[in-house]
């Protein structure tokens, strides 16, 4: 087995474990964090069904970002929708046989690669050109954008400039999933693409990118505006109430 195959295989097992473990751990932390106060951003829905609809609009249309800033919304929304399409298009490297709908979206996935780059370029430009955003931008904000741009750019280079052996690549990844290692094509651009993807998977659970699962735990978004109908008790307050220490809320 070529050393390169072994290195990339081990790298991807480590990256997948870090991503899955890290995201699961943070979701567990978020789920256990008490929400001591009712703080939904008003006007807010007053029922559970209403909250679910609000959340659905938030994660599909980025509603609050739209209300806040149209340029950020435009670039942010284009980037995320394009990313989704690109990832769905990539399913063909990990499934055999490839599902019909994955075959259908292939052409859109390619345009999405360019749309993803355009969205990221806009989001990055904003961090340099808008004074107020430049002032609060940290190195990690820039790093995440640079990483995503480099992944998209190396993917497009593979598509249009330096193609790789996609069939062999697929055999490698299908093998990886059943612990039967197969040789990986040694094309430089593919190796760059894969190394950057592995880096993204590893930093994801320690980065701002955790906002993806995090948005569902945001009290300003996931609470119903019903403090008059139901008394709001934080989890830890209920626990204190049940102890014999006599502490009462
Ligand atoms: C292990 C995971 C991945 C593998 C094996 C992989 C592999 C590939 C390959 C072989 C191509 C060239 C497609 C072609 O020639 O038709 C490509 C393109 C691309 N990749 Fe990836 N990639 C992975 C993950 C990602 C991720 C996580 C992103 C985004 C964050 C991404 C973004 C892109 C983009 C934008 C393109 C160009 C558009 C396209 O062909 O879909 N890739 N990738």
């Amino acid at each position: 087995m070529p050393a390169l195959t072994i290195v990339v295989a081990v790298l991807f097992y480590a990256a997948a474990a870090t991503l899955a473990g890290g995201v699961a751990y943070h979701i567990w932390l978020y789920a256990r964090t008490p929400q001591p106060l009712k703080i939904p951003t008003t006007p807010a829905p007053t029922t559970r069904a209403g909250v679910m609809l609000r959340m659905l609009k938030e994660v599909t249309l980025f509603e609050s970002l739209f209300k806040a800033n149209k340029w950020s919304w435009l670039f942010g929304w284009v980037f995320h929708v394009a990313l989704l399409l690109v990832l769905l298009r990539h399913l063909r490297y990990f499934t055999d046989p490839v599902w019909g709908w994955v075959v259908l979206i292939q052409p859109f996935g390619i345009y999405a690669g360019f749309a993803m780059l355009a969205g990221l370029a806009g989001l990055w430009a904003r961090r340099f050109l808008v004074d107020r955003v430049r002032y609060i931008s940290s190195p990690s904000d820039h790093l995440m954008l640079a990483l995503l741009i480099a992944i998209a750019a190396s993917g497009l280079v593979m598509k249009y400039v330096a193609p790789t052996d996609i069939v062999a690549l697929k055999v490698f990844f299908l093998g990886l999933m059943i612990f039967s290692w197969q040789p990986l094509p040694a094309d430089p651009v593919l190796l760059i693409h894969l190394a950057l993807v592995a880096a993204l998977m590893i930093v994801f659970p320690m980065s701002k990118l955790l906002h993806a699962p995090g948005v569902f735990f945001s009290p300003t978004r996931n609470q119903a505006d019903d403090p008059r109908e139901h008394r709001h008790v934080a989890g830890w307050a209920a626990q204190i109430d049940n102890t014999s220490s006599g502490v009462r809320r």
Side-chain angles (χ1 to χ4, degrees):
M1 189 60 58
L4 179 72
T5 299
I6 299 174
V7 170
V8 176
V10 172
L11 176 66
F12 267 88
Y13 285 136
T18 310
L19 178 68
V23 170
Y25 172 66
H26 280 97
I27 288 180
W28 179 73
L29 282 185
Y30 293 158
R32 290 181 64 237
T33 304
Q35 301 186 347
L37 301 173
K38 273 277 176 184
I39 53 166
T41 305
T42 53
T46 53
T47 60
R48 230 178 120 77
V51 167
M52 281 157 79
L53 183 66
R54 178 189 213 182
M55 196 55 97
L56 186 72
K57 284 195 284 183
E58 188 65 25
V59 298
T60 54
L61 304 173
F62 298 8
E63 192 182 29
S64 58
L65 185 58
F66 183 78
K67 287 180 191 158
N69 186 302
K70 300 292 183 278
W71 281 111
S72 300
W73 175 83
L74 180 68
F75 291 125
W77 192 79
V78 165
F79 158 65
H80 282 87
V81 172
L83 174 68
L84 178 66
L85 266 171
V86 165
L87 293 179
L88 293 177
R89 177 175 135 85
H90 275 64
L91 280 177
R92 71 182 169 141
Y93 306 129
F94 307 97
T95 51
D96 187 42
V98 178
W99 303 315
W101 64 268
V102 176
V103 176
L104 268 181
I105 61 162
Q106 290 302 310
F108 306 104
I110 299 173
Y111 296 121
F114 291 103
M116 186 178 152
L117 263 189
L120 287 165
L123 291 172
W124 211 3
R126 163 180 168 267
R127 293 209 175 264
F128 290 107
L129 301 178
V130 183
D131 286 347
R132 156 177 79 70
V133 180
R134 185 173 60 232
Y135 185 68
I136 56 163
S137 291
S138 65
S140 98
D141 293 319
H142 291 285
L143 187 72
M144 292 304 138
L145 286 162
L147 186 56
L148 287 162
I149 285 177
I151 292 176
S154 55
L156 286 166
V157 168
M158 249 190 301
K159 174 79 195 155
Y160 293 105
V161 185
T164 186
D165 183 346
I166 289 184
V167 175
L169 172 77
K170 178 166 179 167
V171 170
F172 169 80
F173 270 102
L174 288 178
L176 211 59
M177 290 192 278
I178 53 166
F179 299 99
S180 154
W181 293 4
Q182 307 296 325
L184 174 74
D187 298 312
V189 186
L190 172 66
L191 295 177
I192 292 173
H193 193 63
L194 294 184
L196 293 170
V197 169
L200 179 69
M201 291 165 76
I202 291 167
V203 296
F204 190 98
M206 313 156 204
S207 73
K208 60 184 277 183
L209 303 181
L210 269 177
H211 68 268
V215 63
F216 295 98
F217 296 91
S218 169
T220 58
R221 296 287 171 277
N222 71 13
Q223 291 185 341
D225 185 10
D226 60 357
R228 297 155 212 87
E229 292 79 12
H230 304 285
R231 181 159 190 224
H232 178 74
V233 183
W236 49 261
Q239 274 168 24
I240 291 172
D241 212 23
N242 289 334
T243 59
S244 54
S245 66
V247 180
R248 291 281 175 261
R249 46 173 195 266

